[in-house]
Amino acid sequence: MYEILLFLGGFFAGIINVLAGGGSFLTLPILSLYGLTTSVANGTNRIGILLQNISATWNFIVKKEIKLADAFFLSIPTILGAVIGTSIVLSLPEELLKISIGIIFLAMSYFVLFSPKVWEEGRKVKANRWVSTIVFFLIGIYGGYIQAGVGFFLIYALTMLEGYNIKQANAIKIFLTLIFTVFSLILFSFKSKVELVPGLILGVGSFIGGYFGAYLNRRVNKNIIRYTVAGMMILSALNYIFVR
C-alpha cells in the first residue's frame, strides 16, 4: 500500500516540481509515513528529485528550451551553495529556518499574484553577474539544506535577475536542480541518510511525472503556472510556519 502511495506521490510531485515547485511538500510526508526519520526522508527524497529532473531536463534539451551556456554558468555557484547547505543540514536543526522561509514564501506569493508582468515576460535587463552569483549561491545553500520549495527561489531569481519569462525559467530551474541534487545526494549517501528501495519507488513515479510536467510546461497557459506557483507558495508557507 505504501509503495503505491510512494509511486503516485512521486508522479504528482514530478509534475508539480516541473511546472512550479513544492512537490517535496507532498513526498516528504509520504516518506515519513513509510517509516523514515525526517533526516533520512530528506536524503531519500533526493532520489526522486534527481530522476524527475533527468527526464524533464532531457525533454527540455531535445526541444532546445534551455540556454546551456547560461545554465552551466549559474550551476557553479548553485552547486557550491548546495554542498554547504547539505553539510549544514546533516548537523543542525531546521526549526528556525522553516519559520523564516515560510514568511519569505508568503511575501513572495504576493508579488507572484499581483506583479504578474515580470513573471510572464521576464525583465529586459539582466542583473549584474556578481549579484546573480551571490543569489544563486544562497539558493544553492537552501536547496542543499531542505530542497522543498527551492524551485520557487530559482524561478524568482531567473525571472527577476536573469530576465527569463516563466516558461524559460521553469526549464533552467529544472536543469540547475538536477545538477546540484547530484552533489547533495552523494553527501547524504555518505552519511547513510538515504534508503534506496523507497527512494527508487518514489523516483520512478517522479521520473514519469517529470516527463509529463515538461510536456505540460510548453502547453499550459502562463497564468495557470503563475497561480500554481502562488498557491504552492502559500501552502508551503503555512506548512513551514504551523506544522511541527
Side-chain angles (χ1 to χ4, degrees):
M1 177 63 183
Y2 286 127
E3 286 77 9
I4 296 175
L5 190 60
L6 275 172
F7 176 84
L8 293 176
F11 175 77
F12 287 111
I15 295 175
I16 291 170
N17 279 331
V18 173
L19 287 180
S24 290
F25 293 110
L26 173 63
T27 56
L28 285 174
I30 293 175
L31 286 168
S32 296
L33 285 175
Y34 192 83
L36 305 186
T37 64
T38 301
S39 60
V40 175
N42 191 11
T44 302
N45 186 56
R46 313 289 172 133
I47 296 178
I49 298 296
L50 180 68
L51 292 179
Q52 79 186 27
N53 289 330
I54 287 174
S55 64
T57 297
W58 176 254
N59 198 317
F60 286 135
I61 289 176
V62 168
K63 301 296 182 181
K64 297 181 179 180
E65 296 180 11
I66 296 178
K67 294 182 179 179
L68 289 176
D70 289 347
F72 275 117
F73 175 85
L74 294 173
S75 71
I76 296 173
T78 309
I79 290 169
L80 293 175
V83 170
I84 294 174
T86 303
S87 300
I88 293 172
V89 77
L90 288 169
S91 59
L92 294 178
E94 62 185 68
E95 194 60 36
L96 181 59
L97 180 64
K98 287 179 64 177
I99 295 174
S100 63
I101 293 300
I103 294 172
I104 292 172
F105 277 6
L106 283 178
M108 286 171 58
S109 66
Y110 173 86
F111 292 103
V112 177
L113 284 172
F114 300 107
S115 299
K117 188 174 182 179
V118 169
W119 282 73
E120 293 178 5
E121 299 178 5
R123 289 167 58 92
K124 302 303 181 184
V125 180
K126 289 190 177 185
N128 180 277
R129 274 301 189 188
W130 283 108
V131 173
S132 290
T133 298
I134 294 170
V135 169
F136 281 90
F137 173 74
L138 295 174
I139 292 174
I141 291 177
Y142 173 77
Y145 191 103
I146 198 170
Q147 182 77 51
V150 69
F152 300 147
F153 288 114
L154 287 172
I155 289 175
Y156 197 72
L158 287 164
T159 53
M160 294 297 292
L161 298 180
E162 294 300 307
Y164 294 107
N165 64 42
I166 185 66
K167 291 189 176 182
Q168 294 169 331
N170 261 325
I172 296 180
K173 172 202 75 177
I174 293 301
F175 175 84
L176 294 176
T177 305
L178 167 63
I179 298 299
F180 83 71
T181 297
V182 172
F183 292 86
S184 290
L185 185 57
I186 290 172
L187 291 177
F188 275 106
S189 298
F190 280 152
K191 292 293 185 177
S192 301
K193 298 296 184 180
V194 176
E195 288 289 339
L196 193 58
V197 173
L200 287 177
I201 295 173
L202 181 74
V204 171
S206 297
F207 183 89
I208 299 171
Y211 181 86
F212 277 101
Y215 175 85
L216 291 173
N217 184 65
R218 296 188 295 273
R219 291 161 176 80
V220 174
N221 183 276
K222 287 180 286 188
N223 281 329
I224 295 177
I225 297 176
R226 180 165 60 90
Y227 289 129
T228 301
V229 170
M232 290 303 298
M233 277 183 176
I234 293 170
L235 291 174
S236 300
L238 295 176
N239 175 80
Y240 269 130
I241 296 171
F242 297 110
V243 176
R244 297 290 180 268

